[in-house]
Amino acid sequence: MRRDVFQAIADPTRREIIDLLAGKQLNLNAVADNFSISRPAISKQIKILTQCGLVTITRQGREHFCTADLKKMGEAADWIAKYKVFWTSKLDALGEFLEKEAKTNNQPSLKTGNNEK
């Protein structure tokens, strides 16, 4: 199954793991210690993060260390930015429309906060 960054960030546990690993390298047990779910469940989440390219695992002796690789998060940021521009322009247009409607109907302006009763 092909996985991507959007699948990784869709799950709250995986987002917490990413946050945890963003500033430091931890072994699997140290990651699992931060959660109330089982170690096998954490291993499954880390495997998905690895398949998505957001976590790398290195072996040092018997220990497996996890490190966040956040470069892939740029894909999500780029996608979100595209829609932010879209929705900002739509909301600005709505605001302008409501201002014109308020002036046409002699209602207080929305921008001035003139909501006296």
Side-chain angles (χ1 to χ4, degrees):
M1 170 186 259
R2 184 178 181 279
R3 298 192 186 269
D4 64 18
V5 69
F6 297 99
Q7 289 173 310
I9 62 175
D11 181 82
T13 301
R14 291 193 291 267
R15 289 193 303 267
E16 285 184 57
I17 293 170
I18 292 167
D19 288 343
L20 187 63
L21 296 173
K24 57 190 164 201
Q25 180 183 55
L26 296 172
N27 68 25
L28 288 172
N29 288 327
V31 173
D33 288 345
N34 288 277
F35 298 90
S36 60
I37 59 177
S38 69
R39 188 183 181 291
I42 290 296
S43 292
K44 179 181 177 183
Q45 300 300 334
I46 290 175
K47 180 179 180 182
I48 292 169
L49 290 170
T50 302
Q51 291 170 341
C52 295
L54 291 173
V55 170
T56 56
I57 298 177
T58 55
R59 189 171 180 173
Q60 296 174 7
R62 291 176 29 194
E63 297 284 338
H64 291 84
F65 286 90
C66 304
T67 307
D69 183 3
L70 302 178
K71 288 179 254 159
K72 282 258 187 168
M73 292 294 279
E75 290 177 25
D78 292 345
W79 186 82
I80 291 167
K82 178 173 66 174
Y83 288 96
K84 182 179 178 183
V85 169
F86 170 80
W87 282 111
T88 299
S89 69
K90 294 293 184 189
L91 292 172
D92 287 347
L94 176 61
E96 291 171 13
F97 171 79
L98 292 174
E99 283 296 318
K100 287 177 186 174
E101 285 294 306
K103 287 178 184 175
T104 301
N105 296 324
N106 293 324
Q107 295 178 354
S109 173
L110 296 174
K111 286 186 180 176
T112 61
N114 217 355
N115 296 334
E116 295 177 6
K117 300 200 179 201

